[in-house]
Amino acid sequence: MADVLPLVEARLRSALGDPDARAAVTFLGTDRVEVLRFRDSDAEGALVRYATLGMSAQPMADPTAVVADPVKGPRAELVLSVRAGLADTDKVLRPLAVLGASPQVEGVVVAPGASLDVGEALWPGAPFTSVLVAEPGGLVADLELDEPLDPVRFLPLLPMTPNEAAWKRVHGAQALQERWLTHGTDLRDPSRTSVPLE
């Protein structure tokens, strides 16, 4: 079976450019997860993007399955985009690696609409301890693999405040995203406050 990670890194580079930094984290009993940092800019200023590399090496297994299928199953990597220079966001590397390892460690399948909680601030002083997994296909296109492998999907992560995460549990991911849209929330602002939830 071909190693998918060189293909995944090539897709990230074609979409985001060359990474200017990378860090690797290995958890006991799991494959290594790297986090790559990319610099970018848009009409509103400089962005920094962090992408996991390693989460897609194995398919995510249904936690109820007796035996994990080594070939079939969804594959994904995580992508977080924040405005550069407003916070010490490089400290997000370890929390992102933890989230990238969660399918192996906890047997979870990460999919759009899910909440992922790291149990601590995503970076020093961050008002976020969790993220909402958004729909793929916008920033980095899915990477098709040879049959019977599932494609690798690049899932954007949207940081949530604890209040937003609690509200999302009650009302759902779609309702929270609509609220962000209604209020013009800048989801890339690393120090934004919670959207009004009343």
Side-chain angles (χ1 to χ4, degrees):
M1 194 65 63
D3 184 359
V4 303
L5 296 185
L7 303 174
V8 170
E9 182 167 355
R11 175 57 54 91
L12 286 168
R13 285 174 179 269
S14 69
L16 305 177
D18 290 332
D20 70 344
R22 62 197 305 149
V25 180
T26 305
F27 302 97
L28 190 63
T30 68
D31 296 332
R32 183 170 83 154
V33 175
E34 288 189 273
V35 178
L36 281 55
R37 184 180 71 192
F38 300 87
R39 299 279 180 186
D40 194 8
S41 59
D42 67 4
E44 298 174 38
L47 296 173
V48 60
R49 302 188 195 278
Y50 303 94
T52 61
L53 178 64
M55 181 175 167
S56 63
Q58 306 291 332
M60 292 182 276
D62 181 343
T64 62
V66 178
V67 178
D69 189 320
V71 176
K72 287 184 169 265
R75 294 174 188 257
E77 297 289 355
L78 308 174
V79 181
L80 173 69
S81 301
V82 292
R83 302 227 168 268
L86 302 177
D88 187 11
T89 56
D90 279 353
K91 295 289 195 307
V92 78
L93 296 176
R94 184 168 176 77
L96 259 188
V98 168
L99 296 179
S102 62
Q104 287 185 64
V105 175
E106 299 170 25
V108 297
V109 175
V110 177
S115 300
L116 303 176
D117 197 314
V118 297
E120 60 184 23
L122 290 177
W123 52 83
F128 319 107
T129 59
S130 62
V131 292
L132 175 66
V133 181
E135 291 291 336
L139 187 63
V140 184
D142 290 355
L143 173 64
E144 297 294 333
L145 300 174
D146 293 337
E147 291 287 343
L149 303 182
D150 285 26
V152 178
R153 304 170 85 200
F154 297 88
L155 302 172
L157 300 180
L158 308 175
M160 293 188 293
T161 66
N163 284 346
E164 289 170 340
W167 197 86
K168 180 253 175 192
R169 280 193 293 276
V170 175
H171 300 280
Q174 185 66 38
L176 178 58
Q177 288 178 298
E178 287 171 6
R179 190 160 283 265
W180 282 335
L181 197 59
T182 300
H183 289 273
T185 305
D186 181 2
L187 297 174
R188 294 172 174 168
D189 181 351
S191 54
R192 72 172 181 84
T193 55
S194 184
V195 71
L197 298 171
E198 294 302 320

